[in-house]
Amino acid sequence: MKKNIIKYLTVCFACCSISAAFTACSSDDAPYFTAGENDAPRILNTDIPEGEGGQPGIIATIERTTNFTFDVIVTPVHYTTVKWYIDEAEVYEGTSIDVPVLAGEHLVRIVATTTKGLSTSRTCRLVVLPAATDPSLAADGRSRWLTIGTTKTIECTNVTSVSKVFIGTQQATNASYADGRLTFDVPDMAEGEYTLYIEDADGVRYGCGMFTVSREAYIDPGIKETVIWEGATDINWGESNVTVSTEALAAVPVGATIQVYYEMVDMPDGYHAMRITTPWWGDNAEDQVVAQFDLTADTPNPYEFTYTEASKAIVDERGGMLIVGYGYKLTKVVAVEGVAPAETTLWEGSTDINWGESNVTVSADDMAAVPVGATIHLYYDTIDMPDGYHAMRVTTPWWGDNAEDQVVAQFDLTADTPNPYEFTYTEASKAIVDERGGMLIVGYGYKLTKVSFEK
């Protein structure tokens, strides 16, 4: 408190004249400093950032091993209480916070309330980077997608034991760790973005970054799924079956995977079978897309098979694909095919990179579209240099030789360097890019032609 009173007096001295007897400020130009118990509270800091695009600004980016420290200036100072909330939990009371915070991205709310019950608040984000030795979970999109009601397994490093897993404040069940893999059941909870925390056998908790919770299954950006039939038909040999038309199958390429979703139906004889054929169906082998087989508890659901050249030939000739059998309800048929991942261009041009004389900045606004876990591509052409030297560094507009400024530390470009050069956009990368106004590509002896990313 002493520290903040000194700050308060310093501001007061700058704003109004002080008599030799050290009387309080009384100028009409400084109403905040003459505020009394009945006045509305104010938070006077100019170093609390404004938000953009509906997102609160980042008040600080720190490492987990460093406490979150910040001084807030309020008025009327003698009649105002300040409370600090991190992720809606009250963590501190006072004007000068100094607390440890787990790794992750957190919402910080500063609430100033007077003795008369008048209140004001400021909201911002705090980014806490994990220490180098902290547990680290895989950062790809599939790993960071949590489908409600499923069992999730994630590759991880720097983990020795796990006793609990929390998704936000919700505890997951059946948490375990073995052979470099974390496994847990995703609870029924509100969909959204959450920090995932793990707790080890000693009760030490670690933040492991942001995860998406959804009721939908993850769809790989490199995978295209097309529903070619959907409904609810009890399959019972010739009495009821399903035909997928040649028109629906026309867009399905050879080599695609066809998934057949079904539900078992209780049958008096306990028998269940599936056959995939054509409207010409019979017992001839040449009519079969998939020969008849028994459905059991061990049969995958959905059942999958590859759409071959032979399958396509008889389907085209005989008017579609017929799904028949006994003792199950058919609910959906889906064609799944691999496609080239969508690549989004962030910057395109032709710039000779030569340290400070010329470089390329991808703005913070453009980088806002890049999700954590995306792959960033840097396309380049090397330039003949008298000294034969070529180097690349990916940093920020604050760039220098400090390690914390680096998105990708400087390295030599050689004949063995991939083109495009690729790297993963991590939480740490995003934190410094957001804080420092974008991503800067610099170095020596090459021409940069394109910067893009794939989710």
Side-chain angles (χ1 to χ4, degrees), residues 61-63 66 129-130 393-410 426-438:
T61 299
I62 60 175
E63 284 201 353
T66 302
L129 307 177
R393 183 191 299 182
V394 186
T395 179
T396 75
W398 295 17
W399 72 293
D401 291 325
N402 298 323
E404 61 267 22
D405 290 320
Q406 310 303 316
V407 177
V408 176
Q410 184 175 319
T426 65
E427 288 209 7
S429 303
K430 177 174 171 56
I432 64 171
V433 165
D434 288 348
E435 178 193 8
R436 300 175 182 186

Side-chain angles (χ1 to χ4, degrees), residues 173-225:
T173 55
N174 298 322
S176 63
Y177 169 76
D179 302 324
R181 293 179 177 85
L182 172 66
T183 301
F184 56 91
D185 293 341
V186 182
D188 190 355
M189 59 188 296
E191 295 179 288
E193 303 291 321
Y194 297 89
T195 298
L196 186 143
Y197 303 94
I198 65 173
E199 190 172 297
D200 65 18
D202 296 324
V204 180
R205 191 173 294 188
Y206 298 92
C208 298
M210 299 299 291
F211 285 71
T212 300
V213 174
S214 175
R215 297 191 180 278
E216 302 296 327
Y218 180 80
I219 298 176
D220 195 305
I223 297 295
K224 177 183 177 182
E225 294 189 358

Side-chain angles (χ1 to χ4, degrees), residues 356-372:
E357 293 182 15
S358 59
N359 48 46
V360 166
T361 300
V362 182
S363 71
D365 289 342
D366 288 338
M367 292 300 296
V370 184
V372 170

